[in-house]
Amino acid sequence: MPPKPPAKSVLSPLQKALGKLGLRRDIDFALHLPLRYEDETRIVRLADARDGELLQIEATVTSSEVTFRPRRQLLVTVDDSSDTCTFRFFSFYPSQQKALAVGTRVRARGEVRGGFAGWTMVHPNVQPAGAELPTALTPVYPSTAGLPQTYLRKAVLGGLARADLSETMPGAVAVNNVLEVPWSLRAALDFLHRPAPDVALAALEDRSHPAWQRLKLEELLAQQLSQLQSRRVREGLRAPALSTVVEGLHRRLLAALPFALTAAQRKVCAEIADDLAKPLPMHRLLQGDVGSGKTVVAALAAAVCMDSGRQCALMAPTEILAEQHFRKLIGWLEPLGITTAWLTGSQKTRERRAMLALIASGQAGLVIGTHAVIQDKVQFKNLALAIIDEQHRFGVAQRLALRDKMVEAGLEPHLLMMTATPIPRTLAMSYYADLEVSTIDELPPGRTPIVTKLVHEIRRDEVVGRIRVQLTQGRQVYWVCPLIEESEALDLANATETHAALSAALPGVAVGLLHSRMPVAEKRAVMARFVNGEMGVLVSTTVIEVGVDVTNASLMVIEHAERFGLSQLHQLRGRVGRGAAASACVLLYSTGDAPRLGDTARARLKAMVETSDGFEIARRDLDIRGPGEFLGARQSGAALLRFADLATDAALLDWARYAAPVLLDRHPDLAQKHVERWLGAKAEYLKA
Ligand code: ADP
Ligand code: MG
C-alpha cells in the first residue's frame, strides 16, 4: 500500500480571514482597534425611543405572520408594555420564525423607525430576553467576509491579554511630558477595547479621546522611526552618479519636444537631475495633478540616465498605461536613435525573447512595461534608474524587486516614483521622512478648464443629446460605469447594459466597451480604436482610471458618480481636457430609494463641481473623509496609517518627527522594539 500523503497544513477559513486582516501576532490583535461601538449595556423603553436610533429593547411577541404583499416577509409585532414595534424580515430561516413565536420574550437590537403605523425595525438582531447585560460598550471591529464579530472579539481580547505591552517611549521622549497624554499603552488599549458605558462616545468616534491620541502617537512614531531607519541605511548606500553630456540625448530631447516645459516641470526636472548627479540612490516622489505632464519629466530623467551610458526602466501598473507610455516615449526617443524595449505579461514568447536579448545586451537603453519588467528572467546590463508610475498601485515586493535588478556590486539604482494623487506638499514633506518630494503645481498652458455638471439620472436622455453634439463636432466621449463594491459581475452587467443602450440611442456611431474581464488583446484593440479616433464613444468600467491620454476626448460622463471616491472622480475627469478644446464632465447621480444624496456623497460631488485643482481636491477629500479613513495605501501608497489622520493630527506628527531621532539615537533597542511591534512584517515595506 502506498504511504498516505502527508497532511497538508491547511489554514481554516477563519484563520485565513484573520490573516487577511494582518492579524497574526498577539500584538496585532491588541492593536486591531474598534471602528465604533454598540451600546448593549442598556434596554430602552419603546416609549423613550427616538426615530432612527439604534437601540436595544426587550419585549414580548404578540403576533407573527408571513405576508406576501408587497413581497414575502415575516412580520412580527412585539410589545414592551410602553409601546409596540413591528419587526420586518425579508429573508429568514424557519428557525428564526420559531424563535419569534407569539408569547416569546425577546431582546432585539436594531434601528427603530417611527412611521404612521408605529415603530418598526428591519432585520433586528434578536436573541432570547433576560441574559445578563454587558458592562462595557461592545466594540465593532474592522472585519472581512466570513469573519463574525463575535469570533473576532474573542480573538482580539485574547491577543490583548497575552501581548507584551511594555512601554517603548521612555524618559526624554515620554509622551506624558511632551503632550500630556496621561495614558500608558496598556491603559489606552484596555480602554479602547472595552470602554465603560458612560464614556463620551463622540470623543471615541472622532478619535480625539486621550486613549486614541496615545495610540496615534505610537503609530506615527513607528512610522517616523522606520522611515528614519531606512533613510539612514540608504544614506550609507551608493548609486552611479548620472549626468547629462554636451549635445547628449537630454539636450536633443528637450530641443525636439513639440512644446516648452512649464516652469513647474523645469523645477522638478532640476530637482531630479540634482539627485541623479549624486552618488547616492535617489528616492523621490514626483507628484503632479492628472495632466500636469509627468511623463515628459520621466522621459527627461531617463535621458539623463542614458546619457551616462546606463539603462532606465519604467514600470506602469496596467498594460494599457504601459503601452501609452511606450508609444509616447518611442515617439520622442526613437527619432533620436534610442532603442526601447517593451515587456508585458501577454507578450508572445518570441517577441519577449527578442526583448530580453535587447535588455541583456544593453542595446535597449530604456525598458517599458508592466510587472513583467521585474520578472526573474529579465537581466539588465546596467540598470541605473527605475521609474514607477502610479506607485501606489504597486506593492512593496514589486518595488523591492525592481531595485534588485541593479546588478553592479555595491550599487543601488535611483528610484523615481510618480503619483497623480497628491497630498498637500507640506504634509508630504513632513510625513515622508525617507522620501524627497517634487511637485508639479501647474498645468501646461492652453488648457480650457473642464466644466463639471451634476445631472440627475432621470435626465440621462439630455446627456445622450450632449454626446451627439460632441460627436458631430468630431469629438470623442468617455462613459464610465459605476463601481459596485466587491462585485465585478455586477459592474460588468451594468457596463454591458449601458453599452447596449448607448449603441441603440446613437445609431451609426461606433460605441466601444472596455472592462477589466476582457482579454488583454481585446482591451488593447478597443483602446487602439479609441485612440485612433475610429470609435466615438468608449463605455468603460474603471479600467481607464489612470493615465490614459486621448486629447480629442472632450466629454466624460460618469454614471452613478455618487459611488465613487473624490480622488477617483478627479482622476477620471482628468481623462478629458487634455487638448485645447472646451471639455466637460457630467456627473450622473442617483439617490436610489432615498429622497436625496447622503452628506458625504453630496460633499464629494460639490467639490468636483467647485474645483478642478488636484491639491484642493486632495484637501477636501481629507475634510470629507471622516477620521479613521486613512490617507494611506489608497491615497498616497506610502502611508500605512491606520489610526492617525494627517489632516487632523499634524501636532502629533510634529511630535513624532521630533521624538524619532531622539529615541533612535539614545535607545536604539527600544526604537527597534517599537517599530517591530507596530509594523511587524510591514517594516519591510519602508525599505522599498
Ligand atoms: P500626467 O501628469 O497625467 O501623466 P501626461 O504626462 O500624460 O500627464 O501629460 C498630459 C498631456 O500634456 C500630454 O499629452 C503631454 O504630451 C502634454 N504636455 C506635457 N507637458 C506639456 C507642456 N509643457 N506643454 C504642453 N503640453 C504638455
Ligand atoms: Mg501619467
Side-chain angles (χ1 to χ4, degrees), residues 621-643:
D621 202 16
L622 285 178
D623 283 350
I624 294 169
R625 300 202 280 158
E629 282 245 33
F630 61 94
L631 186 66
R634 248 181 321 157
Q635 179 84 356
S636 67
L640 280 173
L641 293 177
R642 289 185 279 162
F643 306 137

Side-chain angles (χ1 to χ4, degrees), residues 191-274:
F191 177 81
L192 291 174
H193 285 294
R194 305 184 42 87
D198 58 351
V199 71
L201 260 186
L204 278 189
E205 274 168 10
D206 74 10
R207 302 189 170 182
S208 60
H209 191 280
W212 267 119
Q213 300 288 101
R214 172 66 211 252
L215 267 291
K216 292 182 193 186
L217 269 182
E218 290 253 334
E219 175 180 45
L220 286 166
L221 179 63
Q223 208 67 25
Q224 291 290 311
L225 274 175
S226 118
Q227 296 197 27
L228 196 60
Q229 283 174 330
S230 56
R231 168 178 288 263
R232 289 184 179 179
V233 169
R234 193 163 53 85
E235 281 168 353
L237 300 175
R238 305 195 61 76
L242 309 174
S243 55
T244 57
V245 292
V246 181
E247 292 314 307
L249 179 63
H250 183 263
R251 296 285 158 74
R252 288 187 291 137
L253 174 56
L254 260 184
L257 285 176
F259 47 74
L261 295 185
T262 61
Q265 285 170 320
R266 285 203 303 274
K267 182 193 65 186
V268 303
C269 281
E271 287 165 358
I272 293 167
D274 275 354

Side-chain angles (χ1 to χ4, degrees), residues 262-431:
T262 61
Q265 285 170 320
R266 285 203 303 274
K267 182 193 65 186
V268 303
C269 281
E271 287 165 358
I272 293 167
D274 275 354
D275 279 0
L276 293 178
K278 289 180 195 144
L280 298 171
M282 170 168 80
H283 207 221
R284 188 171 279 277
L285 179 70
L286 171 59
Q287 50 173 17
D289 207 347
V290 270
S292 62
K294 293 183 290 295
T295 315
V296 69
V297 173
L300 286 163
V304 173
C305 176
M306 289 185 271
D307 268 345
S308 303
R310 289 172 183 271
Q311 288 172 300
C312 172
L314 170 58
M315 187 159 85
T318 65
E319 181 138 357
I320 288 181
L321 194 53
E323 182 162 338
Q324 289 245 342
H325 284 319
F326 182 63
R327 288 189 191 289
K328 187 138 240 167
L329 267 63
I330 53 174
W332 286 332
L333 295 171
E334 213 167 44
L336 303 178
I338 294 300
T339 303
T340 302
W342 163 244
L343 279 179
T344 88
S346 67
Q347 214 158 23
K348 296 246 158 55
T349 314
R350 249 187 57 204
E351 187 189 345
R352 157 160 335 195
R353 249 189 234 134
M355 292 297 170
L356 290 177
L358 284 179
I359 299 168
S361 70
Q363 198 183 330
L366 179 59
V367 181
I368 298 179
T370 57
H371 302 84
V373 171
I374 48 174
Q375 279 163 358
D376 284 348
K377 287 206 181 123
V378 186
Q379 299 278 344
F380 288 86
K381 177 156 181 267
N382 57 9
L383 179 71
L385 170 62
I387 303 175
I388 302 179
D389 196 15
E390 303 299 340
Q391 54 100 14
H392 57 284
R393 312 242 315 215
F394 287 98
V396 190
Q398 293 161 333
R399 270 184 264 169
L400 286 173
L402 193 47
R403 218 176 60 174
D404 287 343
K405 291 285 173 196
M406 179 96 204
V407 288
E408 279 157 272
L411 289 183
E412 290 274 313
H414 297 282
L415 199 54
L416 178 63
M417 293 163 272
M418 307 201 284
T419 179
T421 39
I423 62 174
R425 183 180 164 81
T426 43
L427 263 185
M429 304 258 281
S430 47
Y431 181 67

